[in-house]
């Protein structure tokens, strides 16, 4: 099929390359000349495992341009532009989605299918369908569930397909089935629904995931005052198949370009619809999440003796999660900045996100390696659970630092191993030492 993808940021670039991999002829359109030049040269403008290979592999069927008129060659047009949070409110900024649709309209042919992939407030697709309909083209909303770091796999082998169409629109469904023929042949569950449900599936999935993370982080807060261990608690409740262990990792909490802005945008939309009470719990989810960052700073201050001023702190991890160079709303970067604000001398590293972090926060000191970050450190704080940090050897690592003190912000190290090597190991939601007990509780 001939496909255009409007917007070649994270979602669009991955989608365009994946569609070419599936055998479609794809033109990716973006207003950013640098991004288009990089993609056209086979370079991914951000870190995503497998994407550079796909860009090269698909080059006979895949091209990138800044000229939206080239979309007229295609009959299926994916809208994959960003929907950021507005600077002065929780609401979603739809400027780019509306601009993409308006730019595309003159190049649509009757019978074309426009497919929205961007995450939008419920009710947006119905409005956009009116505009698209004026050209004789039709609109479907087909939300994306890809995770950064696994984006290619999630696009090529999704766990479900959701098509939001008007009145069951059989022509739109048939076109989407052809686009996703491989996933359909693999019996991927497919839900055909209306626009509003499709839009809500996306934001409610992210709201649920955010809630699950904040739930376990709320338990971490309780664990911290009772001497309980939140990781064991998660293991135990996670064995209940109704709960499940995934997304129950307590720690610094969620960040990135999706979960935080999606729950806020969802609340803003609920307020507009007069049902804000239905989602008021999400503001607590957000607050629990942000409290983890403060707690991490408190714990770091505590382990260095009560004041961060003048202390050398090694920061391991800046990305909002491993296998990504994304630092949008990154808890790790936020904590690093807060440590500096308290007078610490912070030296930060990350396997992939140093450059993206430097662009956003040039005032931090960045180094390329763990060894440089740890040199003479009074404490090490682990903020993103990259494999290479999870596999650090506590004995080898001890030789680099001034003090054997580590704060594990992602509960990804084995406390027994680190303590046996002479480290003071602290973590969010876990007892301070092997002997830590229900200190304050017994006397209450
Ligand atoms: C998220 C969703 O997981 C995807 O399904 C969705 O398609 C995507 O947003 C989107 O809307 O585009 P992503 O932002 O890539 O994907 O990241 P996640 O893997 O969901 O992680 C989000 C954050 O939660 C990270 O900061 C991670 O460290 C944190 N997290 C995750 C935890 O703190 N604990 C966990 O147990 C899991």
């Amino acid at each position: 099929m001939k496909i255009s993808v409007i917007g070649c940021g994270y979602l669009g670039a991955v989608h365009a390359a994946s569609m070419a991999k599936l055998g479609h002829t794809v033109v990716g359109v973006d207003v950013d000349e640098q991004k288009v030049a990089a993609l056209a040269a086979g370079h991914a403008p951000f870190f995503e495992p497998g994407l550079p290979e796909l860009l090269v592999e698909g080059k006979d069927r895949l091209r990138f341009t800044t000229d939206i008129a080239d979309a007229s060659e295609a009959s299926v047009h994916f809208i994959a532009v960003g929907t950021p949070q507005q600077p002065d409110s929780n609401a979603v900024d739809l400027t780019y989605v509306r601009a993409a649709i308006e730019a595309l309209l003159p190049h649509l042919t009757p019978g074309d299918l426009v497919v929205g992939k961007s995450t939008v407030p419920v009710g947006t697709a119905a409005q956009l369908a009116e505009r698209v309909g004026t050209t004789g083209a039709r609109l479907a909303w087909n939300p994306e569930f890809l995770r950064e770091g696994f984006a290619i796999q999630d696009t090529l082998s999704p766990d479900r397909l959701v098509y939001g169409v008007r009145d069951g629109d059989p022509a739109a469904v048939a076109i989407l089935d052809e686009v996703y023929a491989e996933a359909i042949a693999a019996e991927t569950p497919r839900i055909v629904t209306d626009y509003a449900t499709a839009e809500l599936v996306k934001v409610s999935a992210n709201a649920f995931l955010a809630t699950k993370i904040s739930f376990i982080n709320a338990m971490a807060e309780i664990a911290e005052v009772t001497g309980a261990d939140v990781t064991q608690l998660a293991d135990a409740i996670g064995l209940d198949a109704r709960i499940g262990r995934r997304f129950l990792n307590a720690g610094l909490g969620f960040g990135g370009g999706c979960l935080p802005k999606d729950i806020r945008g969802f609340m803003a939309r609920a307020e507009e619809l007069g049902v804000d009470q239905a989602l008021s719990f999400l503001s607590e989810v957000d607050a629990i999440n942000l409290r983890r960052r403060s707690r991490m700073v408190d714990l770091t201050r505590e382990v260095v003796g009560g004041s961060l001023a003048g202390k050398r702190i090694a920061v391991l991890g800046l990305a909002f999660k491993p296998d990504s160079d994304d630092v949008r709303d990154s808890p790790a970067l936020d904590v690093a900045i807060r440590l500096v604000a308290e007078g610490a001398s912070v030296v930060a590293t990350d396997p992939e996100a140093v450059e993206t972090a430097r662009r956003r926060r040039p005032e931090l000191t960045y180094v390329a390696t763990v060894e440089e970050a740890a040199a003479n450190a009074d404490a090490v704080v682990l903020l993103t659970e990259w494999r290479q940090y999870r596999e650090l050897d506590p004995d080898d690592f001890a030789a680099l630092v001034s003090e054997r003190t580590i704060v594990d912000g992602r509960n990804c190290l084995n406390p027994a191993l680190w303590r046996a090597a002479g480290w003071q190991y602290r973590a969010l939601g876990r007892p301070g030492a092997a002997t830590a007990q229900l200190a304050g509780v017994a006397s209450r």
Side-chain angles (χ1 to χ4, degrees):
M1 301 189 86
K2 291 197 168 165
I3 289 176
S4 79
V5 178
I6 318 300
C8 295
Y10 194 84
L11 168 62
V14 168
H15 194 68
S18 302
M19 292 299 102
K21 168 79 178 169
L22 292 175
H24 303 304
T25 302
V26 183
V27 58
V29 185
D30 200 288
V31 291
D32 182 336
E33 282 176 19
Q34 268 186 343
K35 199 180 282 173
V36 165
L39 288 163
H43 304 305
F46 47 83
F47 178 77
E48 179 60 38
L51 181 59
E53 291 81 353
L54 271 201
L55 290 171
V56 172
E57 190 187 320
K59 67 181 185 313
D60 295 340
R61 288 185 301 276
L62 176 62
R63 67 188 190 87
F64 294 93
T65 177
T66 52
D67 189 357
I68 186 102
D70 290 2
S72 57
E73 299 158 15
S75 56
V76 181
H77 311 272
F78 285 96
I79 305 295
V81 293
T83 50
Q85 183 178 338
Q86 289 185 11
D88 46 4
S89 84
N90 274 347
V92 175
D93 180 356
L94 285 172
T95 313
Y96 305 108
V97 172
R98 295 196 199 288
I101 294 280
E102 291 305 318
L104 185 61
L105 286 182
H107 309 291
L108 293 175
T109 308
D112 279 6
L113 183 66
V114 177
V115 189
K117 283 207 100 52
S118 308
T119 302
V120 292
V122 57
T124 308
Q127 281 176 14
L128 297 175
E130 300 305 321
R131 296 292 295 145
V132 170
T134 58
T135 65
R138 39 171 45 90
L139 180 80
W141 216 263
N142 169 223
E144 184 55 64
F145 306 105
L146 60 80
R147 297 160 298 166
E148 295 195 16
F150 301 91
I152 308 286
Q153 176 195 324
D154 287 349
T155 308
L156 294 175
S157 313
D159 52 13
R160 78 279 210 193
L161 290 164
V162 175
Y163 304 168
V165 295
R166 178 165 277 170
D167 303 327
D169 190 349
V173 172
I175 294 170
L176 285 171
D177 279 353
E178 207 179 326
V179 169
Y180 298 121
E182 237 177 67
I184 300 281
E187 296 185 4
T188 305
R190 186 197 69 168
I191 289 158
V192 178
T193 182
D194 50 82
Y195 292 146
T197 307
E199 292 166 318
L200 280 173
V201 167
K202 170 68 196 207
V203 283
S204 58
N206 277 358
F208 189 87
L209 294 173
T211 304
K212 201 168 175 191
I213 298 168
S214 278
F215 175 83
I216 201 65
N217 281 332
M219 295 308 108
E221 290 190 16
I222 308 289
E224 277 154 14
V225 296
T226 54
D229 184 321
V230 74
T231 64
Q232 290 179 354
L233 182 140
D235 290 344
I237 63 172
L239 284 168
D240 184 332
R242 294 170 302 176
I243 296 172
R245 180 64 177 83
R246 295 178 71 190
F247 268 67
L248 274 189
N249 295 323
L252 252 191
F254 58 82
C258 302
L259 262 45
K261 73 124 171 128
D262 285 357
I263 59 168
R264 293 174 197 150
F266 200 10
M267 283 188 278
R269 185 65 182 132
E271 199 172 336
E272 282 166 15
L273 294 167
V275 284
D276 44 325
Q277 269 191 335
L279 295 186
S280 59
F281 72 96
L282 286 180
S283 62
E284 201 50 50
V285 165
D286 204 4
I288 293 166
N289 192 51
L290 296 176
R291 278 207 297 274
R292 292 288 77 193
R293 303 177 187 188
S294 310
R295 173 65 189 150
M296 186 70 198
V297 175
D298 293 347
L299 196 50
T300 310
R301 192 190 310 105
E302 190 185 314
V303 298
V304 297
S307 168
L308 283 158
K311 298 292 181 185
R312 254 283 282 118
I313 308 291
V315 162
L316 307 190
L318 294 159
F320 84 105
K321 69 175 196 179
D323 299 310
S324 168
D325 64 359
D326 198 343
V327 295
R328 283 176 294 171
D329 209 339
S330 168
L333 186 55
D334 192 13
V335 166
I337 294 293
R338 291 189 198 199
L339 294 172
V340 172
E342 291 206 21
S345 153
V346 169
V347 180
T349 190
D350 187 285
E352 293 294 337
V354 163
E355 288 316 313
T356 45
R358 198 197 303 278
R359 281 203 287 278
R360 219 162 257 252
R361 303 307 300 238
E363 68 271 34
L364 263 187
T365 303
Y366 299 99
V367 291
T369 63
V370 170
E371 289 73 20
E372 291 166 273
N376 304 317
D378 294 311
V380 177
V381 295
L382 198 165
L383 304 180
T384 313
E385 69 277 32
W386 286 89
R387 188 181 48 77
Q388 45 272 64
Y389 302 159
R390 294 197 309 263
E391 291 175 355
L392 280 170
D393 182 303
D395 287 309
D396 296 347
F397 201 42
L400 299 171
V401 293
S402 280
E403 293 293 331
R404 297 184 188 194
T405 297
I406 189 159
V407 186
D408 179 359
R410 290 294 181 180
N411 282 310
C412 62
L413 301 175
N414 180 337
L417 221 60
W418 285 76
R419 286 182 178 133
W423 286 78
Q424 178 189 188
Y425 170 92
R426 297 297 300 274
L428 297 172
R430 283 173 128 174
T435 51
Q437 288 306 327
L438 295 172
V441 175
S443 57
R444 258 173 236 162

